[in-house]
Amino acid sequence: MPITAPATRRDDLPPQGLTPSQEQIVRHLRHASAVAERATLLGHHPFGAILVGPDQETVLMEQGNVDTVNHAESVLARVAALNFTPEYLWGCTLYTSVEPCCMCAGTAYWANIGRVVYGLTEERLLEATGNHVENPTMSVSSRYVFDHCQKRVELIGPIAEVEDEVLRVQRAFWSAR
């Protein structure tokens, strides 16, 4: 069952648009996972993110991981903030294959993206990567970050239907490094 408890929220925020269905969540997470796989073909780590519009159907952007400081989610959020208004982004959803780290969660927050959905927890990622020098995971959950923000960012995840698929991509990549 996905975690959907919202963080503390200010009451003066615009609505977040439509709520995604479970079918949309799974489909968009699979898309983000495909973006992650494509990133590996470019020599990057297997992380992918997409931004979906308030209609919960239109894919506005997609981004694979670039490097250790330009994670897929952070790059996507920064570019989105340059191209869309904060009001519009508040109704959008960022889908990401793996739970955003604290840097990525913070960037999504500052970009004013109203909802984040992830497939696999950071904790499960650590199981797949081990103590890999190229991926020193942090034990700071995105829930913790969003719970300490002044506006509520809805966080949904992990999603059981895609966890094994995301783990497969992660394990395949990290075992070959």
Side-chain angles (χ1 to χ4, degrees), residues 2-176:
I3 299 167
T4 58
T8 305
R9 159 180 188 163
R10 286 189 341 215
D11 291 331
D12 61 344
L13 295 174
Q16 290 187 347
L18 300 174
T19 301
S21 69
Q22 190 67 17
E23 181 276 327
Q24 288 169 318
I25 288 172
V26 170
R27 180 167 31 96
H28 292 314
L29 284 172
R30 285 185 172 137
H31 184 161
S33 188
V35 173
E37 281 191 274
R38 191 174 66 228
T40 67
L41 299 175
L42 299 170
H44 304 298
H45 294 169
F47 302 101
I50 66 170
L51 183 67
V52 175
D55 66 357
Q56 296 307 315
E57 283 297 324
T58 307
V59 176
L60 302 168
M61 300 173 61
E62 57 181 52
Q63 180 66 53
N65 201 66
V66 178
D67 57 35
T68 57
V69 294
N70 290 291
H71 296 179
E73 303 92 338
S74 288
V75 172
L76 182 142
R78 283 187 215 105
V79 173
L82 292 171
N83 287 281
F84 300 102
T85 66
E87 295 78 20
Y88 183 77
L89 287 173
W90 189 246
C92 293
T93 303
L94 187 155
Y95 289 86
T96 178
S97 54
V98 177
E99 179 180 10
C101 70
C102 56
M103 173 181 71
C104 293
T107 307
Y109 172 80
W110 288 111
N112 211 50
I113 297 170
R115 181 182 295 114
V116 175
V117 180
Y118 65 92
L120 182 72
T121 64
E122 182 87 358
E123 187 176 313
R124 296 282 316 270
L125 173 65
L126 177 58
E127 292 172 20
T129 63
N131 190 22
H132 200 288
V133 67
E134 290 181 45
N135 194 47
T137 60
M138 304 172 98
S139 60
V140 179
S141 72
S142 53
R143 167 57 52 214
Y144 178 85
V145 173
F146 291 137
D147 279 347
H148 290 83
C149 296
Q150 288 186 27
K151 59 188 174 191
R152 184 188 90 176
V153 173
E154 184 180 8
L155 182 65
I156 302 172
I159 305 300
E161 293 93 327
V162 301
E163 282 185 288
D164 288 342
E165 297 166 44
V166 174
L167 270 173
R168 179 188 52 77
V169 172
Q170 294 296 325
R171 286 182 176 136
F173 179 84
W174 296 106
S175 68

